[in-house]
Amino acid sequence: MKTFIIGNWKCNPTTQAQAEQLFDTVEKGIKRIKSASWRNKNIEVVICPPFVWLPLISASVCAKGFGGLVFGSQDCFWEQSGTYTGEISPTMLKNLGCSYVIIGHSERRKYFNETNETVNKKLLSAFKVRLKPIFCVGEQEGEEMSLVVKNQLIEGLSGIKRTQMRNLIIAYEPVWAIGTENPCQPNEAMKAILFIKKTLSELYNRELAEEIPILYGGSLNSKNAKDYIKEAKMNGLLVGGTSLDGGEFIKIIKSV
Ligand code: PGA
């Protein structure tokens, strides 16, 4: 299975020049470390900028077209087109060259009232155009992980077929660990990941559950990243704040 290192830029940076510079640092850094060992390790780096910076990244990735670096968006709407002022559809993202879309991030749930039901509609819609969703789940401070995550999985994945599941990535992001410099320790995160696998086995089957990459996200940096991949053997990382520092993001990639 591939190892995924995903950078979620969130609502940053605020100018095109800064976005270009950040992407340039990442691109050059990856070129420097790309080697036979990179290909053997099967690492996929995914950059998820705000919608407005997607075209410039699309132009760069599509023009140079080197493997191992692709891009995605941080959200999408559930309809493909129509009278929905302000929305961006999965079809638009696909036509721009996006491979991935983050769906159900806790900040979307918190600030934009996204529910398991709307997350489910977005997942179904992304699958329709073969965008690969990065489906975020995780409990808030004081909540029982198993109860919250099980519910997010059951309701979020409602109606999603086995064949579609093969294109899914799940990111376990406990809300209390996001942007707090208080990461969930690898052994604790691993318990949640095993719980997610168990729930997927119950909802689908064991074989399929083993095929779905499950990532960790929350206060990752260039020092702690390798513990999740090398020691806890997770399938990848969803990196927020640290992905805004191109040099540190490259250090994360190197460390794993
Ligand atoms: P963080 O964010 O790395 O800044 O904690 C992770 C995320 O929200 O995906």
Side-chain angles (χ1 to χ4, degrees):
M1 191 185 289
K2 277 184 187 172
T3 299
F4 296 88
I5 310 293
I6 302 175
N8 173 11
W9 291 3
K10 307 194 180 188
C11 189
N12 303 288
T14 52
T15 69
Q16 178 163 335
Q18 288 166 336
E20 273 166 352
Q21 198 182 20
L22 175 54
F23 185 67
D24 195 53
T25 308
V26 174
E27 205 179 33
K28 286 197 176 121
I30 287 176
K31 264 190 199 148
R32 271 198 296 272
I33 48 179
K34 265 182 82 86
S35 62
S37 66
W38 169 286
R39 279 189 292 276
N40 291 344
K41 285 204 182 86
N42 221 355
I43 291 179
E44 180 133 290
V45 180
V46 185
I47 301 294
C48 297
F51 289 128
V52 286
W53 309 139
L54 280 170
L56 64 99
I57 291 185
S58 164
S60 183
V61 171
C62 298
K64 294 169 196 158
F66 64 92
L69 174 64
V70 292
F71 61 99
S73 74
Q74 300 169 13
D75 183 34
C76 67
F77 189 45
W78 58 74
E79 295 290 347
Q80 306 297 347
S81 66
T83 50
Y84 308 104
T85 303
E87 289 300 332
I88 307 283
S89 80
T91 302
M92 292 170 183
L93 297 168
K94 186 73 185 177
N95 288 341
L96 203 58
C98 280
S99 307
Y100 294 91
V101 53
I102 298 173
I103 293 180
H105 190 281
S106 62
E107 286 152 13
R108 302 285 323 161
R109 295 177 191 258
K110 179 176 172 190
Y111 298 112
F112 304 97
N113 302 322
E114 289 205 2
T115 61
N116 291 339
E117 193 191 345
T118 56
V119 166
N120 175 246
K121 284 162 85 169
K122 290 181 176 196
L123 287 170
L124 285 164
S125 186
F127 279 128
K128 258 190 203 137
V129 297
R130 294 176 187 275
L131 269 180
K132 296 177 196 158
I134 302 154
F135 172 28
C136 299
V137 297
E139 80 286 3
Q140 300 193 38
E141 180 96 71
E143 286 183 333
E144 185 65 47
M145 180 278 291
S146 55
L147 290 180
V148 174
V149 169
K150 188 165 193 168
N151 209 29
Q152 288 172 335
L153 290 171
I154 292 173
E155 294 183 8
L157 296 175
S158 169
I160 291 168
K161 300 190 187 82
R162 282 169 198 216
T163 46
Q164 294 172 314
M165 288 295 287
R166 294 211 155 80
N167 284 319
L168 183 75
I169 293 178
I170 294 180
Y172 171 62
E173 295 207 308
V175 181
W176 50 267
I178 296 179
T180 57
E181 294 183 23
N182 176 31
C184 180
Q185 293 308 310
N187 56 339
E188 285 302 313
M190 204 55 214
K191 283 185 201 160
I193 286 175
L194 291 175
F195 176 77
I196 292 170
K197 275 193 199 294
K198 182 172 152 278
T199 309
L200 292 175
S201 307
E202 288 161 10
L203 292 176
Y204 295 89
N205 62 49
R206 201 163 151 212
E207 195 195 9
L208 185 63
E210 288 303 323
E211 279 179 35
I212 295 170
I214 307 180
L215 323 184
Y216 167 73
S219 296
L220 287 161
N221 57 46
S222 60
K223 293 193 177 68
N224 63 18
K226 66 175 185 321
D227 301 341
Y228 295 85
I229 303 293
K230 290 200 167 159
E231 285 162 32
K233 307 264 182 265
M234 292 177 192
N235 307 127
L237 306 170
L238 180 50
V239 187
T242 307
S243 71
L244 295 172
D245 180 329
E248 285 299 300
F249 188 62
I250 290 296
K251 275 193 202 162
I252 289 185
I253 298 167
K254 275 189 187 163
S255 78
V256 302

